[in-house]
Amino acid sequence: MDTRTPQALLARAARHDVWNPEEDDALVCLDVQQESHDVKTFTFASPDGKRFAFKAGQYFLFDLEHNGEPESRCYSISSSPHRTNAFSVTVKRVPGGKISNWLHDTLVPGASVKANGPLGHFVRPEASKPKLLLLSGGSGITPVMSILRELADSCEPADVVFMHAARTPQDLIFRDELACIARRLKGLRLHFLPETVAGEASWPGLTGRISADYVRLAVPDIAERMVMCCGPAPFMAAARSISAELGVPAAHYLEESFDAAVIDEPEIPAIQEAAAKVFQVTFSKQARSIEVTGDQSVLSCAKKTGVRIPSSCANGVCGTCKSKLTSGTVDMNHNGGIRQKEIDAGFFLPCCSKPLSDLVIER
């Protein structure tokens, strides 16, 4: 019998320990599901049949190889944490996207990948079970879908508004499943907001972009809710502004983002720049040296000068930019994206590190 078949892996998962990336980071793809015209869900299991322990809203950092080059990407878990034998991530094909397109075109059941996780703090507060507003735009639906699936699986009482925005009705990921959950999960109100009705002229609801007027009508008690938001940067900026305008306290607004854009830091006034100490940072493999002041992160300056460092969250959570520091010291304030044993081995996160001396980095 092939012990790597989905049936064998699922049977073994029920009687094994929890999967731990420090012991074994290997995963096996169990299934690939086409969700929409440009979105697929990939389901993974442990080759040793171990169970997965994660919180709804967390993500995995995948270590992949593309054309012989190592690449790391963060993908939010879209499945329910109550289903411990495996987990799923849902990935949108992006025009020109190197890794998302590679996954869509190449990854098949039986393939092996490496990953680290679960990671991230985009989770429901544990102290209480507040009323929720789950806001998502496009493929940002994945972590909030995990939260909703957890609520549905647990059958716990819920007071949830789920609002999902997309370009067209055909781009509404999990549309049929969400409608099914809404029919059986008491306390769930579902709102779809496509920007246009392209491809579905008979769309019965509203269209357009998220606005204060729309949210005020759809969620009149928003100020009493914990708002959890994930989506493209412009969508989240609008959601953040609208939530504040409608009375949501800052402590009750939580968002998740994996934008890998160039990090914008405030310009240092000339009088401060003259006083700030400047350090030489050398990237040994790229034979590049740049100047970084003690007030700037290594990653932000590297990106602005064209030095290549893979990155994702840019705030010390995901670990994508993890690099080997061969010389010098830094002030690093991470948020769980690196383990102590890695720090002891000389690794650091450029995204949340400021130089304390000249540096030599093995990149």
Side-chain angles (χ1 to χ4, degrees):
M1 176 181 175
D2 184 359
T3 59
R4 292 168 60 89
T5 63
Q7 293 81 2
L9 289 169
L10 295 180
R12 294 167 64 191
R15 60 178 189 271
H16 279 72
D17 294 333
V18 174
W19 185 85
N20 185 343
E22 295 189 10
E23 298 173 358
D24 185 2
D25 58 0
L27 297 170
V28 176
C29 180
L30 286 185
D31 180 64
V32 179
Q33 175 71 33
Q34 190 83 43
E35 301 288 356
S36 69
H37 65 98
D38 60 354
V39 174
K40 287 185 178 181
T41 290
F42 303 89
T43 299
F44 299 95
S46 161
D48 299 318
K50 294 183 178 180
R51 296 179 295 109
F52 294 94
F54 61 89
K55 295 179 180 180
Q58 290 189 300
Y59 63 89
F60 273 82
L61 172 65
F62 287 81
D63 295 319
L64 307 167
E65 187 172 295
H66 181 264
N67 293 334
E69 292 289 328
E71 298 281 352
S72 297
R73 292 294 187 276
C74 299
Y75 291 111
S76 292
I77 303 166
S78 55
S79 54
S80 166
H82 289 302
R83 306 183 184 192
T84 61
N85 57 283
F87 73 90
S88 300
V89 299
T90 301
V91 182
K92 178 181 175 65
R93 180 188 288 273
V94 180
K98 183 162 47 175
I99 299 304
S100 62
N101 292 349
W102 179 85
L103 289 171
H104 273 247
D105 296 336
T106 307
L107 194 64
V108 295
S112 295
V113 298
K114 290 186 176 182
N116 181 23
L119 302 166
H121 307 288
F122 185 72
V123 298
R124 285 190 297 156
E126 295 182 353
S128 61
K129 296 179 180 178
K131 300 196 304 185
L132 292 175
L133 169 57
L134 303 179
L135 273 173
S136 60
S139 58
I141 194 175
T142 52
V144 292
M145 189 66 184
S146 178
I147 293 170
L148 188 65
R149 283 169 165 164
E150 177 187 36
L151 291 170
D153 283 349
S154 65
C155 297
E156 62 181 276
D159 186 342
V160 181
V161 178
F162 194 111
M163 186 178 294
H164 180 51
R167 289 194 303 269
T168 72
Q170 284 72 37
D171 293 304
L172 293 165
I173 306 169
F174 304 127
R175 177 180 172 181
D176 291 340
E177 182 182 351
L178 282 168
C180 180
I181 293 175
R183 284 194 294 270
R184 61 187 179 86
L185 182 61
K186 295 179 177 62
L188 170 64
R189 284 187 284 135
L190 183 62
H191 294 269
F192 289 132
L193 184 63
E195 190 170 342
T196 72
V197 295
E200 193 167 331
S202 60
W203 176 256
L206 298 175
T207 61
R209 296 186 177 184
I210 188 173
S211 67
D213 288 340
Y214 174 77
V215 175
R216 187 182 289 109
L217 288 171
V219 197
D221 61 348
I222 183 175
E224 304 171 12
R225 296 180 177 272
M226 169 64 72
V227 180
M228 302 184 70
C229 178
C230 187
F235 175 85
M236 289 199 300
R240 192 184 315 121
S241 175
I242 291 167
S243 296
E245 179 183 341
L246 298 183
V248 177
H252 291 176
Y253 180 87
L254 186 63
E255 65 182 32
E256 179 73 298
S257 172
F258 294 119
D259 282 344
V262 173
I263 305 159
D264 290 323
E265 293 187 340
E267 291 295 328
I268 302 174
I271 188 169
Q272 293 183 14
E273 187 173 354
K277 191 165 184 180
V278 178
F279 299 103
Q280 197 78 8
V281 177
T282 300
F283 299 87
S284 56
K285 291 186 177 180
Q286 300 181 55
R288 292 282 307 277
S289 290
I290 64 173
E291 291 185 344
V292 182
T293 71
D295 297 324
Q296 298 173 297
S297 74
V298 174
L299 180 62
S300 65
C301 291
K303 285 187 170 291
K304 289 174 182 177
T305 55
V307 175
R308 182 183 177 277
I309 300 180
S311 62
S312 197
C313 76
N315 58 17
V317 174
C318 72
T320 304
C321 66
K322 193 180 302 170
S323 305
K324 183 68 175 291
L325 184 62
T326 57
S327 176
T329 57
V330 298
D331 177 20
M332 178 170 62
N333 293 294
H334 69 87
N335 289 301
I338 188 169
R339 298 189 289 267
Q340 186 58 48
K341 70 176 185 178
E342 295 172 317
I343 297 173
D344 295 340
F347 288 89
F348 81 115
L349 300 179
C351 70
C352 57
S353 298
K354 298 176 181 179
L356 298 175
S357 69
D358 292 340
L359 308 176
V360 177
I361 301 170
E362 191 177 300
R363 272 208 178 272

